[in-house]
Amino acid sequence: MDIISQLQEQVNTIAANAFNTFGTLQRDAPPVRLSPNYPEPPAANPTEDAAANVAEQPKLMSATLVKAAKQFDLLVAALPLSEGGEEAQLKRIAELQAENDAVGQELQKQLEAAEKELKQVQELFSQAADNCLNLKKPD
Amino acid sequence: MAATATYPPPPPYYRLYKDYIQNPKSAPEPPPPIEGTYVCFGGTYTTDDVLPSLEDQGVRQLYPKGPNIDFKKELRSLNRELQLHILELADVLVERPSQYARRVEDISLIFKNIHHLLNSLRPHQARATLIHILEQQIQRRKEAVEDIKRRREEAQILLKEALGTLDGQ
């Protein structure tokens, strides 16, 4: 995949990681005490959520986010933006077209000369073969 | 009872090409390429495919305008901005959860800017591809010229040898 498409994919990956991060954290967060008047929220049954996931998920997901951002920076550094300017590119294209035309004409010339020689040789060969067939002495 | 409609018949232009084999010029020329805007199946399309600028889409442009944009620098700084905003959103969700909307808008603005920058790299990429193709074609043509020259010389040598052998008889 070309570099720009890779960059676009990477941006979308960063976006997906971001909303997955926030969504997961918001969904799995334990309830918090709102005000001193209300009693503690009922302690949720310590299922799989307890300790293990709730503490690790932010670390894992933020590490993913940071890695994705670093990958994006890497890809940006790999962009082959040679020189500045649309004009420079257009000038180079014009030069290349002129050179292409010149080389094309030379190719055409060589091709025509080669075909002419081929015809001559074929002609001579058929004459020689005829002479051989008719047992005439070669001049 | 036929519940389906039949297809429309093909357009009658085929009659104009009756003598095409004998005289290719007796038939009408193909229509010239369309310029400007055209209507197709009730929708207007334009032939000038240009990327609409951010202002046209009503999106604020975060990177500086100007003729030559340093894409790498701008992309990197937008990436940093994005990370900072994500962090800010996380903070806001912890402290003042009701004010998330503004932060989410900022993040989406940054994403739109990044995508617009990447899209505006595409014409550059197209020209670079064209340059590459032209260079390759020149390379191939030069090789073909060399090839033909070499073969002609070999043929000349063979002919001289053959002449030598014939004369030697």
Side-chain angles (χ1 to χ4, degrees):
Chain A
M1 202 162 42
D2 62 299
I3 185 78
I4 300 189
S5 305
Q6 277 181 328
L7 273 165
Q8 288 173 323
E9 283 293 319
Q10 194 61 26
V11 173
N12 293 345
T13 309
I14 294 183
N17 286 344
F19 68 68
N20 280 340
T21 306
F22 289 119
T24 316
L25 289 177
Q26 282 186 326
R27 178 194 62 186
D28 292 334
V32 81
R33 186 165 188 178
L34 283 173
S35 127
N37 296 343
Y38 290 94
E40 282 273 342
N45 301 337
T47 55
E48 296 293 314
D49 288 342
N53 288 6
V54 172
E56 270 186 28
Q57 267 171 357
K59 285 204 212 98
L60 283 173
M61 289 195 281
S62 51
T64 317
L65 263 177
V66 169
K67 251 200 314 222
K70 283 215 178 94
Q71 183 69 16
F72 183 77
D73 275 333
L74 262 179
L75 286 171
V76 166
L79 269 176
L81 248 58
S82 46
E83 29 41 72
E86 175 180 343
E87 312 87 24
Q89 275 186 319
L90 289 172
K91 206 159 61 95
R92 176 97 177 112
I93 289 182
E95 281 171 10
L96 282 173
Q97 266 185 319
E99 187 178 349
N100 202 9
D101 281 339
V103 175
Q105 278 179 352
E106 164 141 19
L107 179 62
Q108 184 72 17
K109 229 173 34 159
Q110 290 279 334
L111 195 60
E112 280 170 12
E115 280 191 6
K116 202 168 63 129
E117 284 178 13
L118 175 66
K119 263 167 89 109
Q120 280 177 338
V121 168
Q122 278 176 337
E123 184 67 43
L124 287 171
F125 181 73
S126 82
Q127 275 185 10
D130 283 342
N131 289 350
C132 272
L133 280 177
N134 300 344
L135 292 174
K136 286 206 188 84
K137 273 173 71 150
D139 323 309
Chain B
M1 146 170 126
T4 58
T6 52
Y7 284 113
Y13 310 124
Y14 67 91
R15 290 190 208 107
L16 299 167
Y17 293 83
K18 196 155 52 160
D19 295 319
Y20 187 72
I21 303 180
Q22 280 86 31
N23 178 15
K25 300 236 185 317
S26 69
E29 287 283 316
I34 305 179
E35 292 177 5
T37 55
Y38 61 95
V39 178
C40 179
F41 291 130
T44 23
Y45 296 89
T46 170
T47 46
D48 186 21
D49 288 315
V50 74
L51 180 68
S53 84
L54 277 177
E55 277 79 29
D56 295 344
Q57 300 168 355
V59 172
R60 188 160 60 99
Q61 179 167 326
L62 293 172
Y63 55 91
K65 262 194 270 250
N68 285 346
I69 308 179
D70 186 358
F71 286 100
K72 292 193 187 187
K73 186 169 78 112
E74 298 303 330
L75 279 171
R76 270 194 270 256
S77 74
L78 278 176
N79 191 18
R80 271 197 63 80
E81 289 273 325
L82 179 63
Q83 302 294 306
L84 288 173
H85 274 79
I86 291 182
L87 212 52
E88 223 179 314
L89 177 60
D91 272 335
V92 157
L93 283 174
V94 169
E95 317 268 313
R96 308 171 283 270
S98 53
Q99 296 181 6
Y100 68 91
R102 164 93 194 281
R103 300 283 177 267
V104 169
E105 251 182 55
D106 284 341
I107 292 184
S108 73
L109 180 68
I110 296 189
F111 272 123
K112 285 183 188 156
N113 271 278
I114 292 183
H115 272 299
H116 188 265
L117 262 181
L118 287 176
N119 284 340
S120 49
L121 272 176
R122 289 290 188 189
H124 180 104
Q125 185 191 16
R127 283 188 290 266
T129 314
L130 182 61
I131 289 179
H132 183 71
I133 291 180
L134 281 172
E135 282 171 358
Q136 270 190 330
Q137 193 177 27
I138 289 182
Q139 176 71 23
R140 276 205 311 266
R141 284 190 182 185
K142 282 192 180 154
E143 279 173 14
V145 165
E146 292 306 308
D147 210 14
I148 293 186
K149 272 195 203 155
R150 223 172 3 144
R151 302 290 176 148
R152 277 175 70 198
E153 282 166 18
E154 281 177 17
Q156 290 280 351
I157 294 178
L158 275 176
L159 280 175
K160 286 208 176 71
E161 279 180 18
L163 189 60
T165 4
L166 279 177
D167 276 341
Q169 279 186 348

